[in-house]
């Protein structure tokens, strides 16, 4: 009887040890399963730097660089004043040593710098890149009343609903979509990605 009780206790101890071992393995599997996502996340963390923004380098656009822009609105010496600003877009990209620094279509802001009855002068004041504005200093471009062709005078009179061109002869007009060519009067540093 003692032998049987001993065997029973031994069997119970062995069964309990087996159960605990099984429970331990099951818990270890659960821990490994829980650890697996962390291991899977590690490569994701390593891929985050590849999504980081490309480094930017400052490139100096030298004095005398040509800049061509298309005016977004009509300007006239009888309506605009010195200091008025206007929107424009680059007609061609600005390049330095064969690399595009400011792409075609980039928004630029122009400013009226001189207004007389028969003359209108404009310059470029800034360029907007990567959400920031960078000041520009360019030469001024003049439009005078004598530069206007007969067709432009007739077209502007028709759009205003006027038929008398005599009172318009002394007005300098720069129509919307006019393409103007400027040159940088002072070098400017522009950030270039990549």
């Amino acid at each position: 009887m003692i032998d049987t009780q001993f065997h029973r206790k031994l069997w119970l101890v062995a069964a309990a040890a087996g159960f605990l071992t099984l429970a331990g393995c099951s818990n270890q599997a659960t821990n490994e399963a829980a650890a697996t996502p962390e291991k899977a996340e590690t490569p994701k963390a390593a891929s985050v730097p590849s999504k980081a923004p490309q480094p930017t380098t400052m490139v100096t656009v030298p004095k005398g660089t040509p800049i061509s822009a298309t005016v977004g609105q009509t300007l006239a010496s009888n309506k605009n004043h010195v200091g008025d600003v206007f929107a424009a877009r680059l007609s061609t990209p600005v390049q330095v040593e064969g690399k595009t620094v400011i792409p075609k279509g980039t928004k630029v802001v122009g400013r009226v710098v001189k207004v007389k009855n028969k003359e209108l002068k404009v310059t470029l004041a800034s360029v907007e890149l990567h959400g920031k504005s960078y000041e520009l200093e360019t030469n001024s471009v003049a439009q005078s009343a004598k530069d206007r062709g007969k067709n432009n005078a007739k077209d502007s009179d028709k759009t205003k609903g006027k038929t008398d061109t005599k009172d318009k002869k002394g007005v300098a007009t720069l129509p919307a979509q006019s393409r103007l060519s400027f040159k940088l009067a002072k070098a400017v540093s522009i950030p270039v990605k990549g």
Side-chain angles (χ1 to χ4, degrees):
M1 185 132 183
I2 294 178
D3 231 3
T4 310
Q5 281 183 351
F6 177 74
H7 286 298
R8 243 187 237 167
K9 286 182 181 179
L10 186 60
W11 186 85
L12 283 173
V13 168
F19 178 74
L20 289 174
T21 303
L22 183 62
C25 289
S26 172
N27 192 16
Q28 184 179 4
T30 305
N31 288 343
E32 286 177 7
T36 303
E38 290 175 20
K39 289 179 183 176
E41 289 177 16
T42 303
K44 288 180 185 175
S47 66
V48 169
S50 66
K51 292 180 182 178
Q54 295 178 347
T56 58
T57 56
M58 295 303 281
V59 175
T60 300
V61 182
K63 175 182 176 179
T65 301
I67 299 179
S68 179
T70 303
V71 179
Q73 65 206 55
T74 299
L75 303 171
S77 61
N78 65 339
K79 295 198 177 183
N80 290 99
H81 307 285
V82 172
D84 285 355
V85 294
F86 60 92
R89 297 257 177 208
L90 289 186
S91 307
T92 57
V94 175
Q95 297 186 332
V96 175
E97 297 177 4
K99 184 175 182 177
T100 298
V101 178
I102 308 172
K104 177 182 177 178
T106 300
K107 181 182 173 184
V108 290
V109 174
R111 181 176 293 121
V112 176
V113 292
K114 184 176 182 183
V115 178
K116 286 191 175 179
N117 200 24
K118 296 182 181 183
E119 186 179 29
L120 180 69
K121 275 190 177 181
V122 296
T123 187
L124 293 182
S126 64
V127 61
E128 190 176 304
L129 276 172
H130 315 300
K132 291 185 179 179
S133 183
Y134 298 90
E135 285 188 34
L136 294 176
E137 286 186 39
T138 67
N139 67 316
S140 58
V141 174
Q143 180 72 17
S144 65
K146 65 181 179 179
D147 292 338
R148 294 174 58 204
K150 292 180 181 178
N151 289 338
N152 285 345
K154 289 179 184 175
D155 290 344
S156 65
D157 288 337
K158 285 179 186 175
T159 58
K160 305 251 190 252
K162 295 182 180 180
T163 54
D164 185 11
T165 59
K166 289 182 183 177
D167 60 337
K168 289 298 212 176
K169 285 184 180 179
V171 176
T173 303
L174 190 60
Q177 303 306 311
S178 295
R179 187 173 167 174
L180 303 175
S181 295
F182 299 90
K183 284 193 178 183
L184 274 180
K186 181 180 176 184
V188 63
S189 292
I190 299 288
V192 177
K193 290 187 179 184

